[in-house]
Amino acid sequence: MHQYRSNNSYAILLLALIWSCGMVRTIAQHRKMDSLKSVIRSAPNDTTKALLYAYLWSEYQKTRPDSAGFVADKGIALSQRLNYTKGLAYNYHNKGLSFTHSVQLDSALYFYKKSLSLNEKLRDSSLLGLLQLNMGNIYFRKDLPEKAIAYFKTFLAISEALDNRTHMAFANNSIGMAYFDSEQYDTAITHFLIAKKLFTEQHNPLGISKVHSNLALLYMNANGQYDKAIAEFKRALAINEKNHFKKQAALSLNNIGTCHIKQKEYQKALEVIKKSEIIYRDIDNTTGLAYNAIGYGNAFKGLERYTDAIGQFDFALRSLPKTNQEERVKALMGLGACYEGLKHSSKVKAMYAKALKAAYPKSLVEYRITILEKLAAYHAGKDEFDAAYGHTNTLLHLKDSVNKLRNLKRLQQLQIKYEVAEIERNNSNLALAMALKDKDIARKRMQIALAAGLLVCSLLATLVWYTRFMNKKRVIKVLAAKNATIHKNNKTLEQQGAVLQKALTEKELLLREVHHRVKNNMQLISSFLNIQERTKADLDIKTFVENGQLMIKSMVLVQDTLYASKRLDKIPLQSYLENLTRGIALSFKNGTHKIDYQINAEGIFLGINKTISIGLIVNELVYNALKHAFKGRENGKITLSMCRTELDSYSLTVSDNGTGFVSESPFKTGLGLELVSLMANQLRGVSTIKGTKNGTQANITFKMK
């Protein structure tokens, strides 16, 4: 059952992203996240900025969904200060989607309801429809299919009113899954077929594939029609293979294998699951391989190849996420059955005991009943009547509790029916309001058409008047054109003069800047030499000179990179660091080491002062790594990473996989760390260094301002 629930969640998130992009379609949609952050920082605190936060949320949801919630919080806070209803409604909705992503369903529902309350004033049909869909999905995941159906049907009605056939397809698919969950199978099939027709009209192969998969799951789980289920899974498989939906194709093959196992066609199951395994390995999907392992295990168990089955079930337990309790219970039960076949009494009891513990959540109560029945029967067969009695007694208490819960659920269903009736009445009011709104729109369109007619008449009258004076204006146009040409030439000359003046000013500024840089660089070299002077007792003359040369080369390289760049005020750090490390490697004349360099600084641009400081830090850290980290080793790796950690903060990391350092290391307490600390202070940042047996890592964090 978890598979069609995940299909519904995928549909919800897909529609939410479509809505979020459409909501701010007048903004530059293809800007990267950093560019949008820059726009938000420079924008005033007005209603436009509140909507910009909503768009930024959609970008976070695509790339960093776990951090998207704080963007919605900023949009909510700004909208509250501005008393901006539309911004609040959109950002509340985004906050609800973030909680849905993190499976905090009650919190998600709270924010959806707040957005829905505000939307009663906005009358935004698109937002209203998505709120109905998302709230329906929450109730569906909370195992309240009747409530879910009411919200899904409202979403369908709104989609039909807006003639949005894509949303109509998703709505019918969601309604079908809710009816499937409430065991109204014929009605579920009807809605699945409607969804398939709509997806076909929209040329949506992924949607069609999902409908076929949902139909197959219905046939497989509802009444054991495995032949029909296999046929539907094969239809989904054909679509997935044609459109290169690899993950969906692997899942379809695995489900076909499950059907063959249910029909005791174990050899066929192994052949199909093998095809699924090949695809999952190709896309490196560990969870999918765990599902394959459970299928393999059940097939081998059916063939009484218990040792092979045990290996597969063990692999599944190692690979499955700890949150996937249902599949872990299946694997543990499979192990118990295999050990029972091998007559390993102690392991049988241990596996069933683990399975019973794993099946603790309420949603897995049926598994607990099955496990207790197996344990009672197993102990009875071993003449262990005390244990058999204990399990039987626990089983009776559990069944009694389940019956009480079922009775309570019936009472809850009566309450839900009342609430559904309230929802339907509210939906009728909403539909009426939308109908009135449509009539109002039609009336406004009529008014616009009438105004357009009057405008056309006015234009015709103006055209007649304009024709009478056409001949007189020809001469005026010629003179005006000549005057315009003269004016344009004058303006061009003025612009050229301004460009020349600007170029002259820039050259003067650059000349002063060069003098200033030379002075700063000389001061840096002087400081470095003073530091080395204090430690010269530990340095020979050759090392002293080499260090000085590398310092000067790193500063010269800044100038070379600056003048090779298209922008004289910003230096591309990736190319600078590549050239710098290449120069350091050539200067360090030791042919016994083969060192790989990995540099990650794409898209980072810094001013000349900060680049010089970064260069001196990297120069010192890389040189020391080459000198100390790889003694007694033939090869190694040095990694340089520069990234933005916050809006205006950066982090530089230099690490190696060498021998690390100990407390007596000269680099930890001597000149190397002193120079790194000096440069970090000049950046107004913080430096840290740590070493282990696996290498050394230095980190410098600093802010741009």
Side-chain angles (χ1 to χ4, degrees):
M1 199 71 75
H2 67 281
Q3 292 164 318
Y4 72 82
R5 289 181 185 276
S6 63
N7 290 339
N8 192 38
S9 300
Y10 174 84
I12 305 307
L13 290 176
L14 179 61
L15 284 173
L17 291 178
I18 293 171
W19 165 79
S20 296
C21 293
M23 180 183 64
V24 287
R25 58 185 177 276
T26 56
I27 303 171
Q29 295 183 348
H30 300 292
R31 290 184 180 179
K32 293 182 180 179
M33 189 182 300
D34 288 343
S35 299
L36 186 56
K37 287 179 181 177
S38 178
V39 172
I40 290 175
R41 282 197 300 269
S42 60
N45 288 329
D46 57 10
T47 56
T48 301
K49 189 171 184 177
L51 292 181
L52 283 171
Y53 276 120
Y55 179 55
L56 180 61
W57 174 90
S58 70
E59 293 299 314
Y60 266 89
Q61 189 67 18
K62 295 173 188 174
T63 57
R64 296 167 57 189
D66 293 336
S67 303
F70 90 93
V71 179
D73 289 334
K74 289 189 175 183
I76 290 169
L78 178 59
S79 300
Q80 286 175 335
R81 288 199 301 271
L82 299 172
N83 196 23
Y84 182 38
T85 304
K86 185 175 182 180
L88 271 175
Y90 287 164
N91 284 290
Y92 277 148
H93 179 256
N94 288 348
K95 186 68 173 177
L97 287 170
S98 294
F99 278 121
T100 300
H101 176 80
S102 59
V103 200
Q104 299 181 56
L105 303 184
D106 291 331
S107 297
L109 191 60
Y110 170 77
F111 281 99
Y112 289 147
K113 287 181 177 179
K114 288 176 74 73
S115 180
L116 183 63
S117 176
L118 291 172
N119 195 52
E120 291 178 0
K121 299 177 182 178
L122 295 175
R123 301 292 185 187
D124 187 324
S125 300
S126 297
L127 177 59
L128 176 63
L130 285 168
L131 283 167
Q132 297 293 323
L133 176 63
N134 293 334
M135 291 172 71
N137 182 57
I138 294 295
Y139 286 119
F140 179 80
R141 295 172 73 173
K142 288 169 72 71
D143 198 23
L144 296 171
E146 293 84 1
K147 269 194 175 182
I149 290 169
Y151 282 99
F152 289 149
K153 285 186 174 180
T154 303
F155 173 58
L156 177 60
I158 294 170
S159 302
E160 289 173 343
L162 298 174
D163 196 28
N164 189 326
R165 302 186 76 77
T166 300
H167 284 193
M168 289 163 59
F170 280 111
N172 276 287
N173 191 52
S174 298
I175 293 170
M177 287 186 284
Y179 276 121
F180 177 12
D181 196 41
S182 60
E183 300 182 357
Q184 300 180 55
Y185 302 125
D186 291 339
T187 308
I189 291 172
T190 300
H191 283 282
F192 284 143
L193 294 177
I194 295 172
K196 177 187 172 183
K197 180 180 178 182
L198 291 167
F199 279 131
T200 303
E201 291 175 1
Q202 299 299 307
H203 304 288
N204 187 331
L206 186 59
I208 300 169
S209 168
K210 288 186 178 300
V211 171
H212 282 302
S213 296
N214 291 337
L215 284 167
L217 290 169
L218 186 149
Y219 290 133
M220 183 173 68
N221 294 320
N223 44 22
Q225 300 182 56
Y226 299 115
D227 289 334
K228 283 188 175 182
I230 290 173
E232 293 295 338
F233 279 133
K234 285 184 176 179
R235 293 186 182 100
L237 175 63
I239 295 170
N240 294 329
E241 289 179 337
K242 180 179 179 181
N243 292 277
H244 306 290
F245 301 147
K246 290 187 176 182
K247 182 178 179 180
Q248 289 78 6
L251 181 61
S252 297
L253 286 165
N254 196 61
N255 285 331
I256 292 171
T258 301
C259 290
H260 283 309
I261 291 170
K262 295 289 186 181
Q263 294 177 308
K264 298 184 179 180
E265 298 171 342
Y266 303 118
Q267 199 59 45
K268 285 185 178 180
L270 291 173
E271 293 171 1
V272 176
I273 295 171
K274 181 63 179 177
K275 296 178 182 178
S276 176
E277 180 192 358
I278 292 171
I279 298 174
Y280 276 134
R281 289 193 182 280
D282 181 50
I283 62 177
D284 195 23
N285 189 314
T286 304
T287 303
L289 291 172
Y291 291 148
N292 288 154
I294 292 175
Y296 277 135
N298 286 324
F300 286 138
K301 177 164 65 71
L303 293 170
E304 297 184 0
R305 293 167 58 181
Y306 297 121
T307 303
D308 292 333
I310 288 170
Q312 295 295 331
F313 286 132
D314 281 336
F315 174 81
L317 287 172
R318 291 194 305 271
S319 304
L320 281 168
K322 291 184 179 180
T323 55
N324 195 336
Q325 290 294 97
E326 184 173 357
E327 298 302 319
R328 295 181 72 84
V329 169
K330 290 179 182 178
L332 288 166
M333 290 176 67
L335 284 170
C338 290
Y339 285 124
E340 192 172 351
L342 294 172
K343 302 186 186 306
H344 291 174
S345 178
S346 60
K347 290 187 177 181
V348 172
K349 298 173 185 177
M351 289 302 108
Y352 281 139
K354 287 183 179 180
L356 189 62
K357 184 177 180 180
Y360 182 78
K362 290 182 180 179
S363 58
L364 303 180
V365 65
E366 296 297 333
Y367 287 100
R368 275 191 285 162
I369 291 174
T370 302
I371 295 166
L372 286 168
E373 288 174 345
K374 287 181 177 292
L375 281 170
Y378 181 78
H379 284 293
K382 293 287 186 179
D383 294 335
E384 298 171 352
F385 297 113
D386 289 341
Y389 173 77
H391 289 305
T392 303
N393 191 40
T394 303
L395 177 63
L396 291 174
H397 283 298
L398 180 59
K399 287 183 176 180
D400 184 55
S401 298
V402 170
N403 289 330
K404 288 180 181 178
L405 287 173
R406 286 173 178 168
N407 292 332
L408 180 60
K409 188 173 182 180
R410 291 190 187 99
L411 293 175
Q412 289 176 339
Q413 286 175 343
L414 293 175
Q415 177 66 24
I416 289 171
K417 287 181 179 179
Y418 171 77
E419 293 177 0
V420 167
E422 287 292 320
I423 293 170
E424 290 176 347
R425 279 195 292 273
N426 292 334
N427 291 342
S428 298
N429 294 334
L430 287 172
L432 178 60
M434 289 181 62
L436 292 173
K437 184 178 179 180
D438 291 340
K439 288 182 180 179
D440 185 55
I441 292 171
R443 179 176 57 81
K444 288 181 178 179
R445 286 177 178 172
M446 182 65 70
Q447 291 173 348
I448 292 170
L450 180 60
L454 293 173
L455 180 61
V456 170
C457 293
S458 300
L459 288 173
L460 289 174
T462 303
L463 183 61
V464 172
W465 175 83
Y466 176 77
T467 304
R468 292 178 182 178
F469 294 94
M470 196 62 155
N471 292 331
K472 292 182 180 180
K473 289 191 175 182
R474 286 178 182 173
V475 176
I476 297 173
K477 282 185 177 180
V478 171
L479 293 173
K482 290 182 178 180
N483 290 333
T485 301
I486 294 170
H487 178 72
K488 182 178 180 181
N489 291 336
N490 290 336
K491 189 174 181 180
T492 301
L493 290 172
E494 291 175 357
Q495 290 175 345
Q496 290 175 348
V499 170
L500 291 173
Q501 183 62 39
K502 183 179 179 181
L504 180 60
T505 303
E506 287 180 352
K507 287 181 179 179
E508 291 175 352
L509 289 173
L510 283 174
L511 183 59
R512 289 197 296 270
E513 182 68 16
V514 166
H515 289 307
H516 180 66
R517 299 302 179 207
V518 169
K519 178 182 176 182
N520 286 349
N521 290 345
M522 293 304 101
Q523 289 176 343
L524 280 174
I525 293 171
S526 177
S527 298
F528 173 73
L529 293 175
N530 287 336
I531 293 171
Q532 289 195 332
E533 176 66 20
R534 295 198 303 268
T535 58
K536 62 183 181 180
D538 299 326
L539 296 172
D540 57 25
I541 296 300
K542 182 179 179 182
T543 303
F544 184 87
V545 173
E546 285 179 353
N547 289 344
Q549 287 177 336
L550 288 175
M551 284 279 293
I552 294 170
K553 285 180 181 179
S554 68
M555 290 185 284
V556 171
L557 184 58
V558 171
Q559 302 295 332
D560 292 341
T561 307
L562 176 64
Y563 292 117
S565 174
K566 294 181 179 179
R567 298 181 59 184
L568 297 179
D569 60 332
K570 296 292 183 181
I571 296 174
L573 206 61
Q574 179 73 23
S575 60
Y576 171 67
L577 292 178
E578 289 174 353
N579 293 331
L580 178 60
T581 53
R582 191 180 300 115
I584 296 171
L586 291 174
S587 299
F588 192 84
K589 298 176 182 177
N590 189 342
T592 61
H593 299 315
K594 182 180 179 182
I595 307 301
D596 292 329
Y597 297 90
Q598 180 175 345
I599 301 172
N600 304 310
E602 285 290 351
I604 304 295
F605 295 86
L606 297 178
I608 187 169
N609 285 338
K610 294 192 182 299
T611 303
I612 287 174
S613 298
I614 292 296
L616 293 174
I617 291 171
V618 170
N619 177 80
E620 186 62 34
L621 293 174
V622 172
Y623 183 82
N624 275 281
L626 291 171
K627 186 174 181 181
H628 299 291
F630 305 106
K631 290 182 178 179
R633 295 178 56 172
E634 294 182 356
N635 52 44
K637 181 178 180 182
I638 296 177
T639 302
L640 286 76
S641 297
M642 184 75 172
C643 64
R644 180 177 290 178
T645 58
E646 296 178 3
L647 294 180
D648 61 346
S649 296
Y650 287 85
S651 175
L652 169 67
T653 302
V654 180
S655 61
D656 62 67
N657 64 346
T659 58
F661 63 77
V662 294
S663 60
E664 296 81 9
S665 171
F667 178 60
K668 182 179 178 185
T669 58
L671 174 61
L673 184 58
E674 185 176 352
L675 180 58
V676 171
S677 297
L678 176 63
M679 291 300 101
N681 290 336
Q682 186 169 333
L683 288 169
R684 294 196 295 277
V686 178
S687 63
T688 59
I689 181 166
K690 60 181 180 179
T692 67
K693 63 180 181 181
N694 296 320
T696 303
Q697 175 175 303
N699 181 263
I700 295 87
T701 58
F702 62 93
K703 292 183 178 291
M704 284 298 294
K705 297 180 180 179

